[in-house]
Amino acid sequence: MTSPRLDEIISKLEKGARKTNEILSALTPQQWQYLIYTEPTPWTMRDVLAHFVSAEENLLKLAQDIAAGGAGVPDGFDYDAFNAQEQVRLRDHSPQELLRALNDARQATLNWARTLDDAQLDRVGNHPALGEISLETMLVSSYGHQLFHMRDAQHALMKQGGEANG
């Protein structure tokens, strides 16, 4: 049995996954090539999806470490360098493969999150971008992270002549 706090986290993660999947599944092959970011390195919509996969997989590992009493990422962690390495790791995957991987990774996050208790949600660890935060905040930030990038992507798609649902 989960707590009300955990139920709210799970609900947000499920809602975010549904919305992201709905929008990304509707993109055309051309839209996957649209430029979304130029800094620190250029990212297309496909690259943003690869970033989602990497973030979901690696933040789950980080959250599991913190839930078990770990400290999180070390001080001085260079997330720009990490993101660049992850883009190389995932460069040969098609958008469809990445979307499946993202759905699988989010499901793994949800399955694991359902095992947590309130004491674990209160544990604090170092997040790569947000610093010292609770595990609860870290899980909710996964929802916010995708939302943030999806808003940027939708604006970029519209500016480049594409339709962005939602």
Side-chain angles (χ1 to χ4, degrees), residues 114-136:
R114 286 183 177 98
T115 70
L116 297 173
D117 59 37
D118 282 352
Q120 289 170 306
L121 291 175
D122 291 334
R123 290 195 177 140
V124 173
N126 198 22
H127 183 279
L130 302 175
E132 292 285 321
I133 59 174
S134 70
L135 183 57
E136 178 177 15

Side-chain angles (χ1 to χ4, degrees), residues 149-164:
H149 286 301
M150 288 303 295
R151 285 184 182 158
D152 287 350
Q154 287 180 295
H155 288 120
L157 287 167
M158 288 191 297
K159 282 171 68 174
Q160 295 177 62
E163 293 286 325

Side-chain angles (χ1 to χ4, degrees), residues 39-41 43 51 77-87 128:
E39 297 292 331
T41 59
W43 275 7
H51 175 63
F77 179 80
D78 184 346
Y79 61 82
D80 286 332
F82 176 80
N83 286 336
Q85 291 170 343
E86 287 293 283
Q87 287 295 325

Side-chain angles (χ1 to χ4, degrees), residues 14-117:
E14 288 173 338
K15 177 183 174 186
R18 279 191 307 273
K19 187 67 172 172
T20 298
N21 193 49
E22 173 187 308
I23 293 168
L24 296 180
S25 294
L27 294 180
T28 67
Q30 180 184 4
Q31 288 172 317
W32 285 111
Q33 299 309 312
Y34 284 179
L35 189 62
I36 307 302
Y37 296 110
T38 58
E39 297 292 331
T41 59
W43 275 7
T44 64
M45 189 64 237
R46 185 235 161 260
D47 297 329
V48 171
L49 175 56
H51 175 63
F52 287 170
V53 172
S54 170
E56 191 76 26
E57 292 171 347
N58 287 289
L59 287 175
L60 173 58
K61 292 175 190 173
L62 181 63
Q64 289 169 329
D65 173 64
I66 292 168
V73 296
D75 289 338
F77 179 80
D78 184 346
Y79 61 82
D80 286 332
F82 176 80
N83 286 336
Q85 291 170 343
E86 287 293 283
Q87 287 295 325
V88 171
R89 177 178 74 89
L90 297 168
R91 72 175 163 218
D92 295 329
H93 298 276
S94 72
Q96 294 72 26
E97 291 170 326
L98 291 170
L99 197 51
R100 281 191 299 275
L102 178 60
N103 289 330
D104 290 347
R106 177 55 59 96
Q107 191 59 54
T109 298
L110 288 164
N111 291 344
W112 175 76
R114 286 183 177 98
T115 70
L116 297 173
D117 59 37

Side-chain angles (χ1 to χ4, degrees), residues 2-11 113-116 118 121:
T2 60
S3 72
R5 288 168 62 194
L6 190 54
D7 290 342
E8 185 175 334
I9 293 167
I10 289 169
S11 177
R114 286 183 177 98
T115 70
L116 297 173
D118 282 352
L121 291 175

